[in-house]
Amino acid sequence: MTQPRTMLEISGLEKSFGDIEVLKSIDLKVQEGELVFVIGPSGSGKSTMLRCCNRLEEPTSGAIFIEGERITDIPRRDLDRMRLKVGMVFQGFHLYPHMSVLKNVMLAQIKALKRAKPEAEARALEMLDQVGLKHKADAMPAELSGGQQQRVAIARALALDPGVMLFDEPTSALDPELVGSVLKVMKDLRDKGMTMLVVSHEMQFAREAADRVIFMDGGYVVEQGTPEEIFGNPKSDRLKTFLSRVSHEDAGAEAD
Amino acid sequence: MRFIETFFNTKVMADYMPDLIHAMGVTLGLAVATIITGILCGAALACLRVAGLKLVNFCIIVFADIMRALPPLVLILILFFGMPSLGLNISGWMVVYIVLSLVLTAFSEEIFWGGLTAIPAGQWEAGRATGLSKAQTLFYIAFPQAARRGIPPLVNRVLATTKLTALGSVIGVKEILSVSSSAQSFSGSATPLTMAAIAYLIIFIPAVIASHKIERRYHFAT
Ligand SMILES: Nc1ncnc2c1ncn2[C@@H]1O[C@H](COP(=O)(O)OP(=O)(O)OP(=O)(O)O)[C@@H](O)[C@H]1O
Ligand SMILES: [Mg+2]
């Protein structure tokens, strides 16, 4: 039996903004093909941790490894090559509004990955097909719904053949009826064996699709385990408080 | 009849038509050269400002503020009468071209820069996260959006600046206004000035129509 490969490893990660210590010591491993879910209260540093993984934020100390390569040591001018291995999906989609959907998915393939244009186009169409939006290739981003825009953003990241995908609250900006389409794409990705680190409040999705759930609070990983362990049998008081508050919010939202 | 005699005297018109057509060429050439230089330099300076070099940015800001604050005529006179004493002989055409280009550079730099600062951070992050360099993100993502946002004010500024080519008449550039006003004093008829107005309309009405087209073409919902 071969050991599963560690695709992403975070070790002793710390991050401060000025005097504020946001991440105090984070250790985390994501194996190949795993979907790891990150939950935690607002301000606990989830986005900051994710953004350290492709160095959109510079870690204050600690090490991060992507496919075994220590990316925290890479000089700034060589970051672009590393970022190709890490796909990132943002809460706000951030499609380029002046380009068609197809061009959005082709741009970095051509300019960063140096693919030839026909190859980039073929790859873009394939990825758009995978997220169910091939027929929107010529549309402009503003003509799409939020859910469609987010799926294009996922296709844009996937087209670069990343080893790991990072999702920062990919469905938080969406109307409730559009959330499902994005989650479905993520589930398909998981079934295809993509390694994913997902920050999200979609607890139901975590139960169905996550291999592991990480609970962060106050700059630490407080608890981690399978979805059953985390949701069914929380150990720390902080997690219990968090889960009861979230389930109240959910109940409140459903009552609206 | 008196009105027609004064403003639309056909004899005078025929006499000065060749000179005026030549002058239209001068005005048009001056305008086009100014627009190209001013917009390209303004765009380059705005992009340079993105690099965030303190001293460079300070110089750009000072340059833009001075060029936007001074009346262009003052600069034209300084250059035209000052340069020869420094041993540099430049033609009136060149003086007007340089001054108007500098003025348009200053204004368009500010317009492009304003557009660049309005680009949400997420656009930069999306570009960088997909492995594009800062320069590539600027070139393919941020600047094209900034330029589109800047088109309406830029169009106004371009029209305003190119109309200032008439200032060339003060230092003897043979553009529309100077040719027609000297024709007016020779002929004692106001007709050359009417012709000048028509000549300006012939140049600028298509420009205004084109500008509407450009604004519509590059309008996109954000
Ligand atoms: N660029 C920054 N400068 C200063 N402080 C920052 C910066 N980015 C984040 N912070 C602070 O770091 C802390 C953690 O922020 P982060 O966005 O990582 O939290 P989060 O867990 O993602 O929260 P949320 O669920 O609201 O998205 C917050 O207190 C935030 O104010
Ligand atoms: Mg966040």
Side-chain angles (χ1 to χ4, degrees):
Chain A
M1 256 206 56
T2 50
Q3 278 280 314
R5 242 183 350 147
T6 304
M7 295 297 279
L8 170 67
E9 180 174 355
I10 301 174
S11 156
L13 175 64
E14 296 177 19
K15 172 67 186 174
S16 307
F17 292 105
D19 293 339
I20 316 160
E21 285 184 57
V22 176
L23 302 178
K24 290 177 186 148
S25 178
I26 302 282
D27 295 284
L28 178 64
K29 270 188 191 179
V30 185
Q31 309 293 345
E32 186 164 22
E34 243 189 336
L35 192 162
V36 173
F37 222 80
V38 181
I39 59 173
S42 182
S44 57
K46 305 180 299 292
S47 298
T48 306
M49 177 186 77
L50 228 53
R51 291 160 59 84
C52 284
C53 293
N54 63 0
R55 286 184 53 191
L56 280 183
E57 296 294 355
E58 285 297 335
T60 309
S61 69
I64 298 175
F65 301 84
I66 304 282
E67 297 179 46
E69 184 184 6
R70 188 179 173 119
I71 63 144
T72 31
D73 287 344
I74 297 176
R76 279 194 142 271
R77 63 174 186 283
D78 293 337
L79 284 182
D80 300 334
R81 179 185 53 79
M82 174 276 285
R83 286 183 173 138
L84 289 169
K85 292 200 226 162
V86 186
M88 188 154 200
V89 175
F90 303 87
Q91 182 175 353
F93 331 137
H94 305 326
L95 295 186
Y96 315 131
H98 59 299
M99 290 179 199
S100 71
V101 163
L102 184 67
K103 291 259 164 60
N104 264 271
V105 185
M106 286 170 66
L107 181 69
Q109 290 189 67
I110 295 171
K111 302 301 172 192
L113 211 52
K114 311 284 179 204
R115 274 196 185 134
K117 219 170 159 197
E119 192 191 347
E121 184 172 333
R123 179 76 178 145
L125 288 171
E126 186 190 337
M127 289 301 108
L128 286 172
D129 197 27
Q130 187 174 330
V131 301
L133 289 171
K134 197 174 177 183
H135 61 290
K136 293 287 186 189
D138 294 323
M140 296 302 277
E143 298 161 13
L144 304 183
S145 74
Q148 290 172 329
Q149 289 190 44
Q150 189 62 296
R151 283 144 64 197
V152 172
I154 294 174
R156 178 173 68 184
L158 286 177
L160 301 167
D161 304 318
V164 185
M165 286 283 287
L166 309 173
F167 292 82
D168 191 1
E169 306 201 25
T171 58
S172 300
L174 298 178
D175 292 338
E177 71 272 19
L178 301 175
V179 169
S181 65
V182 172
L183 294 183
K184 179 176 177 305
V185 165
M186 292 170 67
K187 218 169 185 172
D188 290 347
L189 259 186
R190 182 206 133 86
D191 294 341
K192 288 205 157 92
M194 177 56 78
T195 308
M196 301 155 85
L197 185 59
V198 181
V199 173
S200 169
H201 297 300
E202 298 292 334
M203 301 300 172
Q204 188 54 42
F205 181 66
R207 280 174 211 269
E208 290 166 19
D211 295 295
R212 230 160 6 109
V213 179
I214 308 283
F215 172 62
M216 276 178 72
D217 193 12
Y220 292 101
V221 173
V222 177
E223 213 173 315
Q224 60 173 304
T226 63
E228 296 78 43
E229 287 166 349
I230 293 292
F231 297 117
N233 186 19
K235 294 193 181 62
S236 62
D237 288 339
R238 284 200 275 183
L239 177 54
K240 284 178 195 161
T241 319
F242 174 72
L243 289 175
S244 74
R245 213 175 52 227
V246 172
S247 62
H248 274 112
E249 274 169 23
D250 277 0
E254 272 157 33
D256 283 346
Chain B
M1 273 332 263
R2 178 80 181 274
F3 178 85
I4 301 223
E5 240 348 67
T6 311
F7 293 104
F8 297 94
N9 187 318
T10 43
K11 165 98 181 44
V12 176
M13 275 192 183
D15 284 354
Y16 291 102
M17 190 60 90
D19 283 357
L20 195 75
I21 286 175
H22 183 260
M24 278 176 78
V26 173
T27 292
L28 198 61
L30 205 46
V32 170
T34 299
I35 293 170
I36 293 173
T37 311
I39 289 181
L40 287 183
C41 293
L45 287 184
C47 289
L48 188 58
R49 234 171 128 173
V50 173
L53 307 166
K54 280 215 174 71
L55 183 64
V56 173
N57 287 7
F58 178 75
C59 294
I60 295 174
I61 293 167
V62 169
F63 162 79
D65 285 354
I66 291 178
M67 285 302 154
R68 292 185 303 159
L70 279 178
L73 183 55
V74 173
L75 283 168
I76 288 174
L77 294 178
I78 289 177
L79 225 58
F80 188 68
F81 294 110
M83 284 297 126
S85 6
L86 294 178
L88 282 167
N89 267 313
I90 46 177
S91 68
W93 189 96
M94 204 42 133
V95 167
V96 176
Y97 164 67
I98 290 173
V99 169
L100 294 188
S101 293
L102 289 176
V103 170
L104 187 56
T105 296
F107 277 101
S108 63
E109 184 276 326
E110 285 299 305
I111 290 169
F112 287 131
W113 176 248
L116 282 171
T117 57
I119 303 299
Q123 290 289 309
W124 284 94
E125 292 185 348
R128 300 309 304 275
T130 48
L132 297 175
S133 67
K134 189 168 181 179
Q136 287 175 322
T137 308
L138 172 64
F139 195 75
Y140 297 110
I141 298 168
F143 187 80
Q145 293 182 57
R148 281 166 168 80
R149 276 172 208 259
I151 282 174
L154 200 56
V155 163
N156 284 332
R157 184 49 59 182
V158 161
L159 291 174
T161 309
T162 48
K163 276 186 276 191
L164 293 177
T165 51
L167 291 176
S169 59
V170 177
I171 55 170
V173 180
K174 298 231 165 300
E175 48 69 59
I176 295 173
L177 185 62
S178 76
V179 166
S180 57
S181 65
S182 64
Q184 182 264 328
S185 40
F186 276 121
S187 65
S189 159
T191 298
L193 295 176
T194 316
M195 293 164 74
I198 293 170
Y200 277 117
L201 289 180
I202 290 173
I203 292 178
F204 281 101
I205 294 247
V208 171
I209 292 172
S211 74
H212 288 314
K213 286 230 167 76
I214 293 172
E215 281 178 26
R216 266 200 303 274
R217 163 86 172 72
Y218 286 108
H219 180 84
F220 66 96
T222 33

